[in-house]
């Protein structure tokens, strides 16, 4: 059975959460690093990770790594990798990547050298001078950090945050992988009751429901590696069947959502229907002033930041109102994401715990209230 090394990039701050996901899946040699988690396993693990990871951005096969301080070393390092194990004579193999704190800092030049080396390797193996690249896409990704080069192959295609249920979003949607990470922090279970009083497009509610019911987040979508013809199609069928069997249909989970914008309410309903969890949520139009906290409830909130949707002063007024209506109750907890440095002062209470995360390019914190 083939055992490969994989790399899953993730949002900064979610590394330990992603590592935990992989360990629970049965991945081996799990190692968290800045913005990524490395692990190993067979093709079944590759498929399982694509279908079931909630906080990963994608699943990459790590083809090789080496030191390179000049273009010749980069060329020879790539040329030594057996790319023919994955890339056929008609397959497309575009190149993209990044470089940080390295001698080789020009991304276009690195792309060109890696592409040239890949072509030379495949020319020697297939005995042909020209590649049509009309077949399935095998996206080569590279990373160069402090002159350490990693060459990888993307098995996911479209990023894993694209679950397939959110074809529509509001002006400032919360990324699904970030919502899933915060939900993991809150330890949502099958019997949890959750609420989001700023539901937007429904991301928190839908991600919480799929976590509670153990629905694989990407069970409904397709992946680029399905077209490669390198993996037995039965692997995909078996792993999808395994994922469906593990769904906890009898879990009593329920979610409540509200938003001041009626369009957001309808958007949440539409997305919840696409995700197959509409029966597990109740959505209504409501101002945050009308919110009433309840016992045994986990509240998630991504309130307006005052940068794109509302002016800063209006956002601060909302934070103050949240402090009044988010009351301390038995077994109730609140998980609020905000970039505002004075959030706790405006909210009126110091958080029991904080965690730094990025919402897109915006540096935020998750303010956790659970005591």
């Amino acid at each position: 059975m083939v055992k490969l090394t994989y790399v899953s990039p993730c949002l900064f701050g979610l590394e330990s959460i992603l590592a935990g996901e992989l360990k629970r899946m049965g991945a081996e040699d799990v190692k968290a690093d800045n913005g990524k988690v490395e692990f190993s396993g067979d093709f079944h693990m590759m498929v399982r990770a694509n279908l079931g990871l909630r906080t990963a951005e994608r699943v990459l096969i790590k083809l090789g790594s080496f030191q390179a301080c000049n273009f010749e070393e980069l060329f020879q390092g790539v040329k030594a990798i057996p790319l023919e194990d994955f890339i056929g004579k008609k397959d497309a193999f575009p190149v993209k990547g990044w470089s940080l704190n390295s001698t080789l800092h020009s991304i276009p030049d690195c792309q060109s050298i890696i592409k040239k080396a890949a072509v030379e390797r495949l020319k020697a193996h297939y005995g042909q001078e020209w590649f049509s690249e009309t077949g399935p896409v095998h996206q080569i990704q590279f990373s160069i950090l402090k002159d350490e080069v990693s060459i990888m192959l993307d098995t996911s295609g479209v990023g894993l945050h694209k679950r397939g249920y959110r074809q529509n979003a509001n002006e400032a949607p919360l990324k699904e992988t970030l919502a899933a990470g915060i939900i993991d922090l809150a330890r949502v279970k099958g019997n949890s009751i959750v609420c989001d009083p700023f539901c937007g497009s429904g991301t928190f509610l839908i991600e919480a429901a799929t976590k509670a019911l153990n629905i694989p987040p990407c069970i409904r979508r397709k992946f680029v590696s399905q077209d490669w013809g390198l993996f037995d199609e039965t692997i995909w069928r078996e792993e999808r069947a395994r994922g469906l069997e593990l769904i906890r249909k009898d879990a009593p989970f329920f979610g409540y959502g509200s938003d001041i914008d009626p369009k957001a309410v309808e958007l949440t309903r539409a997305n919840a229907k696409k995700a197959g969890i509409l029966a597990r949520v109740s959505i209504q139009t409501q101002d945050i002033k009308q919110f009433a906290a309840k016992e045994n409830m986990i509240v998630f909130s991504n309130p307006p930041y005052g940068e794109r949707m509302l002016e800063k002063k209006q956002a601060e007024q909302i934070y103050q109102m949240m402090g009044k209506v988010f009351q301390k109750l038995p077994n109730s907890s609140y998980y609020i994401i905000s970039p505002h440095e004075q959030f706790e002062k405006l909210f009126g209470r110091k958080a029991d715990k904080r965690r730094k995360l990025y919402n897109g390019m915006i540096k935020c914190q998750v303010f956790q209230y659970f005591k």
Side-chain angles (χ1 to χ4, degrees):
M1 188 175 292
V2 177
K3 183 177 179 180
L4 298 171
T5 299
Y6 301 97
V7 176
S8 276
C10 63
L11 297 173
F12 285 103
L14 298 184
E15 296 90 348
S16 62
I17 295 172
L18 175 54
E21 283 192 83
L22 284 161
K23 289 174 182 176
R24 291 192 292 273
M25 275 186 180
E28 300 175 31
D29 310 313
V30 178
K31 184 174 67 175
D33 201 351
N34 289 332
K36 65 179 181 180
V37 178
E38 193 169 296
F39 62 102
S40 63
D42 57 13
F43 291 143
H44 275 275
M45 181 51 60
M46 183 207 78
V47 175
R48 190 176 303 172
N50 271 302
L51 292 172
L53 288 177
R54 301 180 189 278
T55 57
E57 295 302 312
R58 56 188 64 249
V59 178
L60 311 170
I61 298 173
K62 188 174 182 180
L63 301 178
S65 59
F66 53 89
Q67 285 279 325
C69 297
N70 55 57
F71 289 132
E72 179 61 22
E73 290 176 346
L74 179 62
F75 179 87
Q76 294 299 337
V78 174
K79 191 178 176 184
I81 296 172
L83 300 172
E84 65 276 2
D85 288 351
F86 297 94
I87 302 173
K89 60 177 67 177
K90 291 185 179 180
D91 295 338
F93 49 102
V95 177
K96 67 179 180 180
W98 54 267
S99 177
L100 184 64
N101 298 329
S102 301
T103 307
L104 302 175
H105 53 78
S106 171
I107 303 303
D109 286 340
C110 290
Q111 285 178 297
S112 179
I113 294 296
I114 291 170
K115 181 71 174 185
K116 184 178 179 181
V119 168
E120 291 302 314
R121 172 79 192 199
L122 296 172
K123 277 169 64 175
H125 180 79
Y126 291 116
Q128 62 187 52
E129 290 296 313
W130 181 76
F131 294 89
S132 64
E133 298 197 49
T134 55
V137 175
H138 293 61
Q139 178 69 62
I140 295 175
Q141 292 207 13
F142 69 88
S143 65
I144 309 177
L145 178 62
K146 297 179 180 178
D147 299 327
E148 177 72 21
V149 181
S150 291
I151 303 296
M152 297 157 288
L153 204 60
D154 180 18
T155 72
S156 303
V158 177
L160 295 181
H161 69 281
K162 296 284 188 180
R163 320 295 208 202
Y165 65 75
R166 194 169 74 179
Q167 296 176 17
N168 301 301
N170 57 0
E171 290 181 23
L174 183 69
K175 201 170 188 180
E176 292 87 340
T177 46
L178 177 58
I182 297 171
I183 287 162
D184 193 284
L185 287 176
R187 298 181 181 179
V188 168
K189 297 180 174 63
N191 61 351
S192 294
I193 300 172
V194 307
C195 179
D196 181 359
F198 299 93
C199 63
S201 55
T203 308
F204 266 133
L205 292 173
I206 295 169
E207 291 297 319
T210 56
K211 171 74 182 293
L213 303 174
N214 206 35
I215 300 171
C218 294
I219 194 74
R220 296 166 179 261
R221 54 160 282 183
K222 190 178 178 182
F223 306 90
V224 69
S225 52
Q226 287 181 253
D227 296 327
W228 291 357
L230 292 173
F231 321 117
D232 192 331
E233 185 60 32
T234 59
I235 295 177
W236 292 97
R237 290 198 296 270
E238 287 172 4
E239 286 299 329
R240 286 185 190 276
R242 175 186 177 276
L244 292 171
E245 287 174 3
L246 293 175
I247 294 175
R248 297 190 291 259
K249 296 180 181 179
D250 59 342
F253 169 89
F254 202 81
Y256 297 89
S258 59
D259 201 289
I260 195 171
D261 184 359
K263 291 182 180 178
V265 170
E266 289 307 311
L267 185 57
T268 295
R269 285 201 186 105
N271 288 337
K273 185 176 181 179
K274 288 173 192 163
I277 56 93
L278 184 59
R280 298 297 191 129
V281 294
S282 174
I283 321 295
Q284 64 177 330
T285 303
Q286 180 178 275
D287 191 298
I288 187 62
K289 296 175 184 177
Q290 300 169 290
F291 177 81
K294 296 181 181 179
E295 295 182 10
N296 304 308
M297 179 177 279
I298 304 172
V299 179
F300 295 101
S301 179
N302 179 35
Y305 296 169
E307 296 184 15
R308 287 174 290 180
M309 296 173 67
L310 290 174
E311 293 298 323
K312 192 172 183 179
K313 286 186 178 179
Q314 290 177 292
E316 290 175 347
Q317 291 172 356
I318 290 174
Y319 299 158
Q320 291 172 334
M321 180 56 63
M322 289 166 63
K324 294 177 182 178
V325 298
F326 285 11
Q327 299 175 4
K328 288 185 178 181
L329 292 170
N331 299 315
S332 64
S333 56
Y334 303 91
Y335 293 79
I336 308 160
I337 183 168
S338 174
H340 203 300
E341 294 182 359
Q342 299 298 316
F343 174 81
E344 289 169 304
K345 183 178 179 181
L346 292 163
F347 187 74
R349 296 202 303 274
K350 189 174 179 62
D352 298 316
K353 196 172 182 179
R354 294 182 297 177
R355 191 182 185 108
K356 293 180 181 178
L357 292 171
Y358 278 85
N359 186 4
M361 298 301 292
I362 303 172
K363 187 177 181 180
C364 296
Q365 291 193 75
V366 180
F367 297 91
Q368 305 169 47
Y369 297 87
F370 48 79
K371 292 182 181 178

